[in-house]
């Protein structure tokens, strides 16, 4: 169904207003469960994969379940009797320390939530701020950090780093639903969204009621968080502030330290009074722009740089994937490394320095050589494998008989000749340097 505004034959403001009202009236449960919309939602949920909810039905099992049960579920949605299942609580560690609570809905509820989000997006998204980047079509975290960099280069020297305290766990349902109702007039759809907010969470086998919060993990949560925080964006725009927001990550830029403190005080009051959202006063801070961090990047000397923390996390994960005691085949190891490195570089590679990338590449190849050394185990096989791979016999014998550490032997002339860069890449080892070149010099990479 078409959710956009119809063209006015006269082009008048009154006609546009009438057409917008008509488009808003089309946002309903009937629109959500239309076949085309539901199929698109299922395709997205399937692509995202994810674990099963409390009913134990997996992505693979869902088509069979839906074939036998969708008729009844569709009818209950239309009649207003559908009750979403509680979400399954999963705790995952944060990169910054602490624990993040994720709520995993059943696959059926994920599909319905995705379908709702698809209907709401064309209605709400065009009205969102240009400085909001999280979970929006055609927008990305890279765009957010580049906007911050642009503002810094234009003389905004201080950053107000806003940290919202347990935002997704503390959203006031009444405040949120009043903002959803500004553009959604269908009572059935409003009721369904409200039920998703209050569906409860299962923790250690016990059902807990949810009177606050938007469960992280459901496809509808990002849209709802953007709807609520759009009021904050509009307030910042009204005051003429430069800012960038990605979901609940927000920084505001000012030209002076004094202005930064004034903004921190006034915005804290707005969040707590108008949106009933609490500020984490310990983590919220005022910094010089070059000392600030946003979405894993810093801005020293007005340049975009990946944080040391992100690089440390990258190396920690690579250590696990190249652990000598991980009893997997080399093809499986290479495939795991490729998936992780390509994903990490696609995001963080834009802020990496060339010299750091080259050093990481050398380090990774050295660790892979240790894996081969461990697999070959006995001296006779090590010597034979090195000779077969092109090492000089004398050097291969010296290295194969040596009792020095894996780390030391992974850098000898013999292992570097046999387990060369070209050989490792031929086997499937992804080159971090090559990925960096593809990101920074795409024409040269081709």
């Amino acid at each position: 169904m078409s959710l956009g505004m119809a063209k006015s034959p006269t082009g008048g403001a009154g006609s546009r207003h009438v057409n917008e009202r008509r488009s808003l009236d089309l946002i309903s449960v009937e629109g959500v469960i239309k076949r085309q919309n539901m199929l698109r939602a299922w395709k997205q949920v399937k692509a995202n994969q994810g674990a099963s909810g409390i009913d134990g039905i997996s992505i693979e099992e869902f088509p069979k379940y839906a074939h036998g049960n969708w008729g009844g579920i569709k009818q209950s949605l239309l009649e207003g009797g559908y009750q979403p299942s509680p979400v399954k609580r999963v705790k995952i560690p944060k990169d910054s320390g602490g624990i993040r609570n994720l709520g995993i809905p059943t696959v059926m509820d994920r599909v319905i939530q995705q379908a709702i989000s698809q209907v709401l997006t064309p209605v709400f998204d065009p009205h969102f701020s240009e400085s909001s980047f999280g979970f929006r079509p055609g927008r990305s975290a890279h765009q957010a950090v580049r906007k911050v960099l642009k503002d810094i280069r234009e003389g905004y020297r201080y950053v107000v780093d806003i940290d919202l305290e347990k935002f997704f766990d503390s959203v006031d349902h009444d405040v949120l639903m009043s903002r959803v109702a500004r553009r959604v007039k269908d009572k059935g759809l409003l009721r369904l969204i409200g039920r998703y907010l209050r569906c409860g969470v299962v923790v250690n086998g016990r059902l807990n009621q949810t009177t606050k919060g938007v469960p992280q993990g459901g496809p509808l949560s990002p849209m709802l968080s953007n709807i609520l925080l759009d009021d904050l964006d509009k307030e910042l725009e009204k005051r003429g502030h430069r800012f960038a927001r990605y979901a609940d990550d927000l920084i505001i830029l000012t030209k002076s330290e004094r202005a930064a403190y004034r903004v921190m005080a006034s915005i804290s009051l707005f969040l707590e009074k108008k949106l009933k959202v609490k500020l984490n006063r310990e983590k919220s801070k005022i910094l010089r722009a070059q000392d600030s961090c946003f979405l894993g990047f810093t801005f020293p000397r007005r340049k975009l740089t990946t944080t040391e923390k992100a690089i440390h996390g990258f190396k920690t994960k690579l250590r696990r994937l190249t652990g000598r005691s991980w009893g997997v085949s080399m093809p499986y190891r290479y495939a795991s490394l490729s998936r992780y490195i390509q994903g990490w570089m696609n995001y963080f590679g834009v802020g990496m320095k060339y010299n750091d990338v080259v050093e990481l590449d050398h380090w990774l190849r050295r660790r892979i050589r240790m894996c081969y050394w461990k697999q070959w185990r006995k001296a006779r096989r090590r010597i034979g494998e090195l000779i077969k791979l092109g090492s000089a016999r004398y050097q291969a014998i010296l290295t194969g008989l040596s009792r020095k550490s894996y780390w030391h032997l992974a850098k000898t002339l013999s292992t570097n000749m046999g387990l060369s860069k070209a050989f490792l890449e031929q086997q499937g080892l992804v080159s971090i340097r090559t990925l960096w070149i593809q990101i920074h010099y795409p024409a040269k990479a081709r």
Side-chain angles (χ1 to χ4, degrees):
M1 87 180 167
S2 174
L3 299 175
M5 286 169 45
K7 289 186 178 179
S8 166
T10 62
S15 296
R16 285 196 301 272
H17 179 72
V18 169
N19 287 328
E20 183 174 356
R21 294 298 305 169
R22 285 175 180 167
S23 71
L24 295 182
D25 290 340
L26 293 174
I27 308 307
S28 62
V29 174
E30 288 83 356
V32 168
I33 64 173
K34 280 197 170 182
R35 177 178 174 79
Q36 186 178 2
N37 190 53
M38 291 299 295
L39 288 175
R40 186 157 67 96
W42 160 238
K43 185 177 179 181
Q44 184 61 53
V45 170
K46 184 180 179 182
N48 292 340
Q49 290 297 306
S52 59
I54 62 167
D55 61 0
I57 297 170
S58 66
I59 291 287
E60 293 75 22
E61 297 166 335
F62 179 74
K64 182 179 179 181
Y65 170 81
H67 181 75
N69 293 274
W70 173 241
I73 293 171
K74 178 180 177 180
Q75 190 63 33
S76 65
L77 284 165
L78 287 170
E79 294 173 354
Y82 181 75
Q83 182 60 51
S85 300
V87 300
K88 182 168 66 175
R89 170 66 53 83
V90 176
K91 296 179 183 290
I92 62 170
K94 292 183 182 180
D95 292 337
S96 57
I99 297 294
R100 174 181 285 112
N101 291 324
L102 282 187
I104 302 178
T106 63
V107 179
M108 176 58 77
D109 282 326
R110 294 212 291 275
V111 173
I112 296 171
Q113 284 191 39
Q114 178 65 33
I116 295 171
S117 181
Q118 289 169 182
V119 166
L120 296 184
T121 296
V123 176
F124 284 93
D125 192 81
H127 301 274
F128 287 155
S129 167
E130 286 297 309
S131 297
S132 168
F133 297 90
F135 307 107
R136 297 183 60 193
R139 289 174 171 262
S140 67
H142 284 167
Q143 291 175 334
V145 295
R146 286 194 175 108
K147 182 189 183 300
V148 171
L149 182 62
K150 178 177 177 288
D151 291 338
I152 291 170
R153 287 173 173 172
E154 291 178 3
Y156 288 80
R157 298 180 297 120
Y158 286 87
V159 160
V160 182
D161 188 347
I162 299 290
D163 187 279
L164 302 179
E165 185 174 347
K166 296 182 179 178
F167 171 72
F168 284 94
D169 295 330
S170 61
V171 168
D172 186 286
H173 290 170
D174 292 336
V175 174
L176 171 58
M177 290 305 298
S178 69
R179 279 142 183 83
V180 175
R182 289 172 182 172
R183 295 188 176 276
V184 176
K185 303 305 176 184
D186 182 76
K187 291 184 179 179
L189 184 52
L190 289 172
R191 187 188 308 115
L192 181 59
I193 294 171
R195 285 178 178 172
Y196 273 115
L197 292 175
R198 300 185 299 274
C199 67
V201 58
V202 173
V203 183
N204 297 325
R206 296 183 62 183
L207 174 63
N208 296 332
Q209 298 300 320
T210 46
T211 56
K212 283 187 176 182
V214 179
Q216 279 183 280
L220 188 56
S221 300
M223 169 57 71
L224 295 179
S225 66
N226 275 336
I227 290 172
L228 178 66
L229 292 177
D230 185 57
D231 274 23
L232 171 62
D233 298 340
K234 294 298 192 292
E235 182 68 18
L236 292 170
E237 288 178 338
K238 186 174 77 175
R239 299 182 188 187
H241 293 312
R242 300 283 186 100
F243 70 98
R245 183 177 66 80
Y246 192 93
D248 59 332
D249 286 312
L250 169 70
I251 61 172
I252 307 165
L253 297 105
T254 66
K255 290 190 172 181
S256 70
E257 188 176 15
R258 183 177 180 181
Y261 278 103
R262 188 169 61 247
V263 169
M264 174 73 87
S266 61
I267 292 303
S268 300
L269 191 64
F270 177 85
L271 284 166
E272 293 175 355
K273 295 293 183 182
K274 295 288 185 180
L275 300 184
K276 297 185 180 179
V277 174
K278 285 188 177 181
L279 212 67
N280 187 326
R281 298 189 181 275
E282 290 183 4
K283 292 186 177 180
S284 297
K285 48 192 176 290
I286 291 166
L287 303 162
R288 288 186 177 273
Q290 64 265 28
D291 299 325
S292 65
C293 171
F294 185 53
L295 301 177
F297 296 94
T298 57
F299 311 93
R301 298 180 297 280
R302 300 184 177 188
K303 293 182 180 179
L304 187 63
T305 304
T306 305
T307 62
E308 290 295 326
K309 184 177 180 180
I311 295 172
H312 176 74
F314 183 50
K315 290 189 72 173
T316 299
K317 178 69 172 181
L318 291 182
R319 280 193 184 94
R320 288 201 291 268
L321 294 175
T322 56
R324 301 192 304 275
S325 299
W326 188 25
V328 296
S329 67
M330 291 307 294
Y332 183 87
R333 191 187 298 270
Y334 284 137
S336 300
L337 282 167
S338 180
R339 283 193 300 271
Y340 176 69
I341 292 171
Q342 290 192 44
W344 193 91
M345 284 296 292
N346 284 342
Y347 183 77
F348 287 108
V350 295
M352 292 289 289
K353 298 174 186 175
Y354 179 76
N355 289 343
D356 291 341
V357 166
V358 171
E359 186 180 329
L360 273 171
D361 238 0
H362 287 311
W363 175 81
L364 178 60
R365 286 196 295 271
R366 194 170 175 181
R367 288 192 61 83
I368 286 293
R369 290 180 184 117
M370 290 198 300
C371 294
Y372 278 104
W373 207 244
K374 176 71 178 288
Q375 280 192 357
W376 293 340
R377 293 184 179 274
K378 294 186 178 181
R380 183 183 295 274
R381 184 180 177 191
R382 289 171 175 174
I383 294 167
E385 293 286 354
L386 289 176
I387 293 172
K388 188 165 47 176
L389 290 170
S391 288
R393 178 178 292 274
Y394 177 70
Q395 291 292 338
I397 292 171
L398 284 180
T399 305
L401 295 175
S402 174
R403 296 198 175 190
K404 291 185 178 178
S405 69
Y406 284 98
W407 182 246
H408 176 86
L409 294 173
K411 203 180 180 182
T412 62
L413 176 62
S414 183
T415 52
N416 275 263
M417 286 180 64
L419 298 168
S420 65
K421 176 185 173 183
F423 170 79
L424 296 179
E425 289 183 1
Q426 185 183 32
Q427 297 303 302
L429 180 63
V430 65
S431 167
I432 303 174
R433 174 182 172 275
T434 300
L435 292 174
W436 186 91
I437 292 172
Q438 290 172 354
I439 292 165
H440 290 266
Y441 303 102
K444 184 177 178 181
R446 286 196 295 270

